[in-house]
Amino acid sequence: MNVGQKSFVVFVSRFGSSAVGFVAMIYLARNLGSGVLGVYFLIVTVVSWLKLGCDMGIKIYITKRISEGKNKDEFAVAGLILVSAAFFVLSSMVLLFGDQVNQYLGEPLYQYVILILGARVTHMYVGAVASGENLVHLEGLLKLINTVSTRGAQI
């Protein structure tokens, strides 16, 4: 695939992802109401903050080292170990402080925080490896698939 085709795939994927997200938010806001939607956004915010702890520049490291072309497998495995260790530590902390997380969220939902965090971290890792392999069009498609599947599960 040439650069123009990859760019087009990424553009269409991002546009489609934005469109699906917009329509899903309108649907959820109309059908769930502000109370449930507020809790949802609070969960998304908590997961986003926790994901920062799982990333810590590891995504950039994976992409850069794999794109260099030497020892790709070793860097991919090292990145997976780092991301998995960070996820294990953060999810253990969420489990340990589950009551406080539930109190902050206002609902007993700490298990969903861990589940969503795992999905986001997996998506981050796979996207980083795909970008490192110069498969940015695949990363764009993964973003679209992630958005569609996430919004579909939410609806």
Side-chain angles (χ1 to χ4, degrees), residues 18-30:
S18 295
V20 168
F22 178 73
V23 170
M25 279 302 122
I26 290 174
Y27 177 81
L28 291 171
R30 297 229 178 229

Side-chain angles (χ1 to χ4, degrees), residues 8-152:
F8 181 74
V9 169
V10 170
F11 173 76
V12 169
S13 298
R14 288 192 180 186
F15 182 80
S17 180
S18 295
V20 168
F22 178 73
V23 170
M25 279 302 122
I26 290 174
Y27 177 81
L28 291 171
R30 297 229 178 229
N31 290 323
L32 295 179
S34 61
V36 175
L37 197 60
V39 171
Y40 165 74
F41 283 128
L42 191 57
I43 291 171
V44 169
T45 303
V46 169
V47 169
S48 295
W49 277 102
L50 291 171
K51 185 179 166 255
L52 284 174
C54 288
D55 186 354
M56 299 180 297
I58 297 170
K59 178 181 178 181
I60 295 169
Y61 157 81
I62 294 169
T63 302
K64 182 177 179 355
R65 296 301 176 203
I66 290 177
S67 69
E68 290 175 351
K70 297 178 183 174
N71 304 324
K72 292 180 184 183
D73 296 337
E74 293 174 12
F75 287 119
V77 170
L80 180 62
I81 291 170
L82 288 171
V83 168
S84 299
F87 172 73
F88 177 75
V89 168
L90 288 173
S91 61
S92 297
M93 291 180 71
V94 171
L95 277 172
L96 183 64
F97 296 106
D99 291 336
Q100 287 83 359
V101 173
N102 286 341
Q103 186 178 18
Y104 179 70
L105 297 175
E107 300 285 335
L109 299 170
Y110 76 92
Q111 300 95 339
Y112 293 105
V113 169
I114 295 170
L115 183 66
I116 296 168
L117 178 63
R120 290 231 177 141
V121 168
T122 302
H123 178 261
M124 177 195 70
Y125 174 76
V126 171
V129 171
S131 291
E133 291 285 347
N134 197 25
L135 300 172
V136 291
H137 60 290
L138 179 61
E139 183 184 10
L141 289 174
L142 286 173
K143 181 171 176 48
L144 178 61
I145 291 168
N146 181 41
T147 301
V148 170
S149 62
T150 301
R151 299 303 181 249

